[in-house]
């Protein structure tokens, strides 16, 4: 019987070696920029109790209604693969007392899981970087969080490609009053609602504003806007944020229809959107969620944060730089001219890695003819082949052969090798 191979789960992608350079670059820049603002990394479990998410994200949201990977473990406990990071972060902060009489600036990165229809920019396992700030209730910290993201776009060369959209969802009373106003409006135009919106009218009418159905467009653009019904304090908060963004030279568009897919947001909400990724255009989304910590059993604590989707950012970066950076390919490939020198080659390779900081050296393993070894050296992307041959070795030498752009093979004394390679590769000495 012929067996067929096991394939990956739909919507769960492998990130292959040719893509990983772009990921590493993105992750390094993210860590550096966030670090510059004094945020510290927190690492959280992938699995949490299901109720953590139903209590925080909201029972009638897309995520909790239909996107969670939920199962009973062997003990019968109801667990869920995290669909987002904020709930787990808040849980950890409460559990470890990180919020008592102190502010926290935290960030995390890692895989998230949502059972969605896979398409470009939308996967079932995807990766986010999230940033959360606790214990600060003013627009100053909202502005800071946005500035972190802006600096990131600048550092990644994406500044011209993303647009900041901003809105306020008010406080819970303002939202409740607005909700009624909105339901009245939609009921008065019930004939123009699509099926999805009819369903949401009862459960989550604000989400109707988020509909991507073009036929709903006229109805939605004429809908009442929460931004026009804010109380004084919410209005002042929003104006304070806008003033700070203006002062820092951050451009933004006020989008009164911007709501978020998670229930816990209030007051500031924002998204960074690009038109270069088709329908999946939001690369970073966030806002204020002052009610969540208390909702999950902690003391009332102001909170604001964002999450960005790394797949979409990698996609944007790749659109810019079609060729991969190739930072991880080898610089030097060691060709072993005689099998009798395999052990010497191994020891010499280790020594060169010790002596040359930052050197990327591949040692040929598995034997084979010189011709086949040079073929692999070429494919490795290395600039230089280091060839160990019997005659040279006996004289205490090895050969250096440039692999790109011609150049003669030269013999170099073994104890001069590190210096020569360093200068050829333009590397600093350690
Ligand atoms: P969308 O409207 O695209 O479904 P969302 O509102 O569900 O987004 P958030 O929960 O705010 O998304 O997540 C923050 C970011 O994470 C998104 O802006 C996006 O960049 C990314 N993201 C969310 N879901 C996915 C997914 N299934 N695949 C890839 N990236 C995702
Ligand atoms: Mg979604």
């Amino acid at each position: 019987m012929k067996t067929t191979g096991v394939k990956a789960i739909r919507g769960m992608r492998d990130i292959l070696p040719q893509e990983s350079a772009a990921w590493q670059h993105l992750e390094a820049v993210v860590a550096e920029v966030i670090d510059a603002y004094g945020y510290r990394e927190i690492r959280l479990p992938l699995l949490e109790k299901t109720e953590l998410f139903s209590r925080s994200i909201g029972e009638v949201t897309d995520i909790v209604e239909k996107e969670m990977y939920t199962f009973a473990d062997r003990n019968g406990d109801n667990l869920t693969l995290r669909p987002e990071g904020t709930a787990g972060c808040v849980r950890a902060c409460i559990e470890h007392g990180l919020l008592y009489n102190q502010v926290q600036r935290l960030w995390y990165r890692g895989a998230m899981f949502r059972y969605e229809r896979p398409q470009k920019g939308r996967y079932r396992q995807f990766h986010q970087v999230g940033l959360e700030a606790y214990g600060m209730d003013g627009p100053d910290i909202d502005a800071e969080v946005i500035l972190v993201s802006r600096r990131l776009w600048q550092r990644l060369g994406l500044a011209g490609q993303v647009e900041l959209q901003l809105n306020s969802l008010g406080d819970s009373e303002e939202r409740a009053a607005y909700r009624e106003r909105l339901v009245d409006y939609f009921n008065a135009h019930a004939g123009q609602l699509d099926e999805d919106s009819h369903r949401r009218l009862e459960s989550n009418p604000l989400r109707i504003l988020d509909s991507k159905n073009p036929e709903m467009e006229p109805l939605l653009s004429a809908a009442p806007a929460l931004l026009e019904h804010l109380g004084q304090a919410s209005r002042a908060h929003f104006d304070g944020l806008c003033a700070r963004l203006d002062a820092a030279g951050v451009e933004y568009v006020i989008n009164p229809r911007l709501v978020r897919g998670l229930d816990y947001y209030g007051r500031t909400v924002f998204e960074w959107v690009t038109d270069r990724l088709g329908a999946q255009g939001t690369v970073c989304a966030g806002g204020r969620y002052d009610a969540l910590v208390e909702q999950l059993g902690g003391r009332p604590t102001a909170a604001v944060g964002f999450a960005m989707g790394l797949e979409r950012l990698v996609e944007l970066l790749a659109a810019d730089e079609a060729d991969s950076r190739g930072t991880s390919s080898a610089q030097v490939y060691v060709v072993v001219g005689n099998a009798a020198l395999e052990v010497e080659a191994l020891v010499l390779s280790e020594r060169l890695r010790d002596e040359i900081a930052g050197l990327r050296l591949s040692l040929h393993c598995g034997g084979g003819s010189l011709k086949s070894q040079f073929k692999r050296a070429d494919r490795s992307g290395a600039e230089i082949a280091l060839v160990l041959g019997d005659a040279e070795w006996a004289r205490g030498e090895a050969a250096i052969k440039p692999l790109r752009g011609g150049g003669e093979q030269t013999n170099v004394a073994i104890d001069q090798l590190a210096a020569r390679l360093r200068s050829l590769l333009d590397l600093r000495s350690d």
Side-chain angles (χ1 to χ4, degrees):
M1 193 180 79
K2 192 170 180 291
T3 52
T4 49
V6 179
K7 296 267 176 60
I9 298 168
R10 199 163 115 83
M12 303 210 175
R13 294 166 72 233
D14 302 304
I15 295 168
L16 299 176
Q18 66 261 29
E19 298 168 88
S20 57
W23 279 82
Q24 287 170 359
H25 171 67
L26 174 61
E27 286 162 355
V29 173
V30 165
E32 189 189 312
V33 168
I34 291 178
D35 193 51
Y37 287 81
Y39 287 70
R40 293 184 304 159
E41 189 183 11
I42 184 167
R43 300 194 179 199
L44 303 159
L46 298 185
L47 270 177
E48 297 275 1
K49 292 183 182 157
T50 301
E51 67 171 307
L52 176 69
F53 301 114
S54 46
R55 273 171 59 183
S56 56
I57 297 168
E59 292 281 1
V60 293
T61 56
D62 280 352
I63 292 180
V64 173
E65 275 184 340
K66 52 188 189 199
E67 294 176 359
M68 294 202 305
Y69 279 91
T70 295
F71 61 95
D73 74 359
R74 289 173 190 279
N75 198 29
D77 291 334
N78 209 359
L79 306 183
T80 294
L81 276 168
R82 63 181 186 189
E84 55 100 51
T86 302
C89 187
V90 169
R91 193 238 349 109
C93 285
I94 296 172
E95 199 166 328
H96 301 286
L98 300 187
L99 304 177
Y100 282 109
N101 302 319
Q102 53 189 320
V103 303
Q104 288 289 350
R105 286 178 165 86
L106 301 173
W107 72 284
Y108 50 82
R109 62 181 152 194
M112 306 291 161
F113 303 85
R114 296 185 194 177
Y115 192 82
E116 302 199 66
R117 194 170 70 75
Q119 52 197 293
K120 192 169 171 236
R122 192 176 292 286
Y123 308 98
R124 290 182 174 175
Q125 174 173 334
F126 61 100
H127 299 81
Q128 286 183 338
V129 162
L131 179 138
E132 320 282 0
Y134 298 103
M136 294 161 275
D137 60 7
D140 44 1
I141 188 69
D142 299 20
E144 178 180 287
V145 158
I146 289 172
L147 287 171
V148 175
S149 48
R150 195 239 332 223
R151 185 172 298 275
L152 198 59
W153 315 140
Q154 288 171 336
R155 281 292 315 277
L156 292 168
L158 298 176
Q161 304 181 29
V162 287
E163 175 187 270
L164 176 61
Q165 301 192 357
L166 205 59
N167 192 19
S168 173
L169 298 180
D171 64 21
S172 62
E173 277 137 52
E174 288 151 15
R175 224 161 30 252
Y178 173 68
R179 190 186 150 114
E180 275 180 35
R181 197 186 290 266
L182 197 62
V183 170
D184 288 347
Y185 170 80
F186 285 136
N187 271 327
H189 302 85
Q192 296 171 56
L193 289 177
D194 63 12
E195 199 189 314
D196 233 21
S197 305
H198 264 296
R199 197 171 50 80
R200 287 188 167 138
L201 193 53
E202 294 281 306
S203 59
N204 198 348
L206 264 67
R207 278 288 273 175
I208 298 177
L209 297 173
D210 202 25
S211 165
K212 308 279 188 296
N213 181 353
E215 285 172 23
M216 300 262 297
E217 181 55 35
L219 181 68
L220 297 183
S221 55
L226 175 48
L227 206 51
E228 279 149 32
H229 298 94
L230 291 180
Q232 213 186 359
S234 292
R235 184 76 230 178
H237 188 101
F238 188 70
D239 292 343
L241 172 59
C242 292
R244 282 165 176 82
L245 295 178
D246 292 337
V250 181
E251 285 175 36
Y252 54 88
V253 178
I254 294 175
N255 176 359
R257 274 158 56 188
L258 181 66
V259 291
R260 306 279 309 112
L262 303 87
D263 267 1
Y264 50 62
Y265 286 103
R267 289 207 170 151
T268 308
V269 287
F270 65 89
E271 287 190 1
W272 288 95
V273 184
T274 177
D275 56 13
R276 301 213 176 176
L277 294 178
Q280 271 58 250
T282 303
V283 292
C284 175
R288 181 163 278 284
Y289 55 96
D290 293 340
L292 184 60
V293 177
E294 189 178 15
Q295 206 174 306
L296 289 177
R299 285 202 218 151
T301 305
V304 57
F306 67 64
M308 52 198 191
L310 299 190
E311 278 76 4
R312 295 182 194 179
L313 288 172
V314 167
E315 186 80 30
L316 265 188
L317 290 172
D320 268 5
E321 297 174 39
D323 62 329
S324 105
R325 263 151 243 282
T327 46
S328 47
S329 62
Q331 297 165 306
V332 175
Y333 193 94
V334 180
V335 170
V336 189
N338 184 326
L341 291 175
E342 271 179 14
V343 174
E344 285 80 356
L346 180 121
V347 172
L348 178 63
S349 298
E350 281 302 286
R351 204 175 99 199
L352 291 171
R353 291 188 187 103
D354 286 342
E355 288 176 352
I356 308 177
L359 175 67
R360 294 191 306 276
L361 176 145
S362 282
L363 168 63
H364 183 85
C365 290
S369 67
L370 270 183
K371 191 173 160 213
S372 68
Q373 292 195 40
F374 271 107
K375 217 184 234 173
R376 262 210 237 161
D378 196 49
R379 234 187 286 154
S380 76
E383 296 149 51
I384 292 168
L386 179 62
V387 191
L388 304 196
D390 275 340
E392 292 86 354
W393 190 261
R395 290 198 305 270
E397 292 179 346
I400 285 181
K401 181 175 164 50
L403 293 171
R404 320 277 153 201
E408 284 297 297
Q409 176 165 325
T410 49
N411 291 342
V412 180
I414 300 289
D415 54 10
Q416 296 297 311
L417 263 180
R420 178 67 68 85
L421 288 174
R422 219 181 268 133
S423 73
L424 283 172
L425 295 167
D426 212 14
L427 291 169
R428 284 182 295 106
S429 62
D430 208 16

